Amino acid sequence: PEPFDLERVRSGFNGPPSPTSVVLLQELERWNILVSAMRVSLQNLQKALSGEVGMSSQLDELAKALFNGSLPGMWRRLAPDTLKTLGNWMIGFERRYKQYDSWIVRGEPAVMWLSGLHIPESYLTALV
C-alpha cells in the first residue's frame, strides 16, 4: 500500500486533534516509515536479482528471510513486536492498514484492535 498522506489526515480534523487523533497520527508516521522501508528494500532486492546492483549482505538477508517465510530483520525493527511467520504477519499488516484507513474515513472505531497498533499503550493512555 501507499503511505498515508499525513497532511490530508491532519486537515480532516475539525479544530485541534483529540488525544486519540494524535495517536492515529503517530501510528501513521510509524506505518509510513515501515511501508517506505519495505518498498525500497524490495525494489533494491529486485534490482540485485536482475544484476543491476550488487547483492549486499542486507539484501541477502532479506532474500533469505522471504524465501524461508520469516519476517526480514530490516522490517522487524520497524514493526510492532511479533513472533509470527511472514505469511501471518502479512495478514495482520493488511488488517492494520484497513483499521487505519477506516479510522481516517469513518472516525475513531467503536472497537479498537489493540494488537494492530504499533504502541497500544499510547492509545490506552489517550483514552484516560
Side-chain angles (χ1 to χ4, degrees):
E2 291 294 320
F4 288 99
D5 182 351
L6 296 179
E7 288 306 313
R8 186 182 64 81
V9 173
R10 278 187 191 97
S11 68
F13 298 143
N14 296 328
S18 67
T20 55
S21 296
V22 171
V23 171
L24 172 62
L25 291 170
Q26 292 170 343
E27 288 288 322
L28 295 180
E29 287 173 3
R30 290 178 183 89
W31 171 268
N32 285 352
I33 291 168
L34 173 61
V35 168
S36 296
M38 291 171 68
R39 175 173 282 116
V40 168
S41 63
L42 289 172
Q43 288 171 343
N44 289 339
L45 179 60
Q46 191 172 24
K47 288 177 184 176
L49 292 174
S50 68
E52 294 177 43
V53 298
M55 180 72 81
S56 68
S57 60
Q58 284 183 326
L59 292 177
D60 188 50
E61 178 190 323
L62 173 64
K64 286 178 184 175
L66 295 175
F67 180 79
N68 292 324
S70 60
L71 186 61
M74 63 176 61
W75 300 354
R76 183 180 302 276
R77 287 186 287 280
L78 300 172
D81 287 338
T82 185
L83 298 175
K84 293 180 180 179
T85 62
L86 181 61
N88 288 329
W89 183 82
M90 287 303 297
I91 292 168
F93 179 79
E94 182 180 350
R95 192 169 164 209
R96 285 178 51 220
Y97 174 80
K98 289 178 181 177
Q99 176 170 271
Y100 293 146
D101 189 57
S102 174
W103 193 350
I104 293 166
V105 173
R106 297 187 185 119
E108 187 177 347
V111 176
M112 181 63 70
W113 176 45
L114 290 176
S115 61
L117 300 174
H118 266 86
I119 305 177
E121 296 85 359
S122 64
Y123 180 76
L124 295 174
T125 302
L127 292 177
V128 178

